[in-house]
Amino acid sequence: MQAALEASARRLPELQLQKILARRAEASGIKLHPHETEALAKHLLAGGKGPITLDERPGLTEAKLTFTAEDAAEIRGLPDQIEAAMSGAVEGVVKKSADVLLRSIRKRWPAIKAEHDKDRVAFLETIQLLWGDALDKLDMLIATAESVGGQAIAVARASRSKKRVAVTTALDRLHIRGIQVANEILALLREGFADAAFSRWRTLHEISVVAIVLGDHGEALAIRYLDHDLVEAQRGAEVYQRCHPKDAAKRKNAAALKQTLADYNEVVARYGPAFKSPYGWAAEALGKEKPSFQHLEEAADQAQMRLRYKAASYGVHAGTKGLTVSVADVFGEGPPGAASIAGLHEAGAETAYSLVRLTGPLLGPNWSVDKLAGMNVLIRLRDAASRAFSRGGQAMHDATWMTEEQFEAWTRQADDERPELGGKG
């Protein structure tokens, strides 16, 4: 199709010249045949100066073709005419081609979808075979963490004490969001998206670290944390004004933006210039003018997670490391091109640990027997899920080096009779 367009483009000057030649010949009393105007145009465009043979007819030898100034202007305008013609031609061809392609896709889609669905069912069966136990244990942990945390928040809200209103509110919101992210991770793991799940764990880790810091420092810091929403609102307002100046100038929007700025100036005046930074709410508590997330990790006693956090960041950003490194890479060949049965243990185990870290601050600082029992259950479920993911990771590693016949024989055995892959005990 592209070749046909290019060939047509190359013929446009010749076709336009044929029109001019036919017009000039008719003005001289000669009607040229189509093949004659074509031959004459080719002759002229090739720079020919010699004679050219035309069909004999009366008056032909005395005829003269005189090009006018208008003809010369038309020839000079050929490039612009060609560009305009090609633009319209390309647009038409593209639309027709797209129509044909779309009809073909729609016609073939039922068969394609059926094949995709068949492959997906087989793939999910393999995920369940290798990782089902670990995924179910993580699911149980998420549900239990939601229940234990929810009960703790209900008790805190029922209290008549006003000493921890802000910290209860902040921890509650963080816990709700953390449970949601954990469920997203679980959904990604069940579909074989190990790198995406690991990237979402990065978010869960951030949430759990903030929860630990707030739980440790209490009400005053929680108030600053909630008030920092006004700083984020002003940052968003500035982007809005820069990207949509006309909308921002409208009376209703301008009034809202003015109020956002006033609220921002008020909290900055209250807490100081350091409050402006992304983690400015923690500046005073951590003794840092511009605290970073790494400072929060250190304050939460989670500095050892820096390397894992960095690895999980590769899949979030568009850096080259995300193109070459993958938790699902079994053979050292880089990230797989689609969902994979490998690498699920990375995000799975880390999620289990982060869930317990996230829920812990909700249970303190006054620990009751019920809270201690709830935390003990969470720790047991965390350890069980972590061990199950480790077994899945080992099974995945061992299965990589099995023959297809060995793997099929292993899958045919009943669950209670099936040994660890590779003979692991």
Side-chain angles (χ1 to χ4, degrees):
M1 190 173 297
Q2 183 67 29
L5 279 173
E6 291 174 355
S8 298
R10 287 192 294 270
R11 288 207 65 205
L12 282 175
E14 177 189 326
L15 294 173
Q16 193 66 24
L17 184 55
Q18 286 181 38
K19 291 180 181 179
I20 296 174
L21 287 169
R23 190 167 63 241
R24 290 297 99 212
E26 191 171 352
S28 298
I30 299 296
K31 184 172 179 62
L32 294 175
H33 299 307
H35 72 275
E36 291 176 324
T37 55
E38 181 180 356
L40 189 53
K42 288 181 182 294
H43 182 70
L44 293 174
L45 287 172
K49 296 181 180 179
I52 182 171
T53 302
L54 301 175
D55 296 341
E56 276 193 39
R57 51 191 175 277
L60 182 61
T61 56
E62 292 81 13
K64 290 184 180 180
L65 301 185
T66 303
F67 290 95
T68 66
E70 289 77 11
D71 295 328
E74 185 175 340
I75 292 172
R76 285 194 297 270
L78 275 177
D80 292 338
Q81 294 179 39
I82 291 171
E83 182 178 351
M86 281 301 298
S87 176
V90 168
E91 184 178 346
V93 170
V94 167
K95 184 179 183 305
K96 289 180 180 178
S97 300
D99 290 343
V100 171
L101 180 58
L102 184 57
R103 283 197 299 270
S104 174
I105 291 173
R106 285 173 171 165
K107 182 179 180 180
R108 293 184 294 115
W109 177 244
I112 294 173
K113 183 178 184 300
E115 188 65 26
H116 283 183
D117 290 345
K118 179 182 176 182
D119 292 343
R120 184 170 180 271
V121 167
F123 175 76
L124 295 181
E125 287 176 351
T126 305
I127 290 281
Q128 187 63 28
L129 178 68
L130 290 171
W131 301 100
D133 181 50
L135 294 171
D136 290 344
K137 284 182 168 58
L138 179 60
D139 196 359
M140 186 188 305
L141 172 59
I142 294 172
T144 305
E146 182 176 18
S147 176
V148 170
Q151 291 174 10
I153 287 295
V155 170
R157 291 195 181 284
S159 173
R160 296 181 179 179
S161 174
K162 303 299 180 183
K163 294 181 179 180
R164 289 176 60 85
V165 174
V167 74
T168 297
T169 299
L171 291 177
D172 182 27
R173 293 177 183 176
L174 285 167
H175 194 257
I176 290 171
R177 187 177 174 215
I179 293 296
Q180 176 185 341
V181 173
N183 277 308
E184 292 170 1
I185 293 169
L186 180 62
L188 289 167
L189 291 174
R190 290 194 185 280
E191 294 288 334
F193 294 109
D195 287 308
F198 196 35
S199 296
R200 289 306 286 154
W201 165 78
R202 175 184 184 269
T203 300
L204 180 60
H205 172 64
E206 292 176 350
I207 295 170
S208 67
V209 164
V210 171
I212 293 171
V213 172
L214 294 180
D216 288 345
H217 287 79
E219 189 72 358
L221 185 59
I223 292 173
R224 287 174 177 252
Y225 173 73
L226 295 174
D227 284 347
H228 200 264
D229 178 60
L230 299 172
V231 175
E232 296 298 331
Q234 175 58 23
R235 187 173 286 114
E238 291 169 359
V239 173
Y240 176 64
Q241 289 171 296
R242 185 170 63 252
C243 297
H244 305 281
K246 291 183 178 180
D247 289 336
K250 293 177 181 178
R251 181 179 298 180
K252 181 180 179 180
N253 295 336
L257 291 167
K258 183 178 180 180
Q259 184 60 52
T260 298
L261 179 59
D263 293 340
Y264 166 79
N265 289 331
E266 193 275 327
V267 292
V268 171
R270 187 191 315 164
Y271 297 125
F275 197 68
K276 297 178 183 180
S277 69
Y279 294 99
W281 55 270
E284 183 179 88
L286 302 186
K288 304 287 184 182
E289 184 176 350
K290 275 194 173 182
S292 65
F293 181 68
Q294 185 171 351
H295 293 137
L296 292 180
E297 282 183 316
E298 293 167 357
D301 196 24
Q302 296 298 311
Q304 76 280 2
M305 300 303 298
R306 176 98 310 237
L307 186 59
R308 306 297 293 146
Y309 179 79
K310 181 68 175 176
S313 299
Y314 295 145
V316 175
H317 306 298
T320 55
K321 205 69 173 174
L323 308 179
T324 58
V325 174
S326 168
V327 295
D329 181 13
V330 177
F331 298 104
E333 299 174 347
S340 171
I341 62 173
L344 274 62
H345 56 290
E346 299 280 356
E350 296 297 353
T351 297
Y353 275 88
S354 291
L355 273 171
V356 176
R357 297 187 192 113
L358 171 65
T359 308
L362 275 72
L363 307 181
N366 300 316
W367 290 82
S368 65
V369 172
D370 290 340
K371 291 179 179 179
L372 288 170
M375 178 55 71
N376 187 268
V377 168
L378 291 178
I379 291 173
R380 291 186 186 184
L381 291 176
R382 175 202 67 190
D383 293 345
S386 179
R387 286 193 298 268
F389 275 109
S390 294
R391 287 195 300 270
Q394 185 62 51
M396 183 64 242
H397 176 271
D398 294 339
T400 302
W401 307 107
M402 290 178 71
T403 66
E404 185 175 347
E405 292 76 13
Q406 288 175 321
F407 185 73
E408 288 179 353
W410 182 79
T411 59
R412 285 195 295 268
Q413 297 183 56
D415 289 342
D416 56 351
E417 298 176 353
R418 184 182 296 136
E420 292 287 343
L421 283 171
K424 302 293 182 182

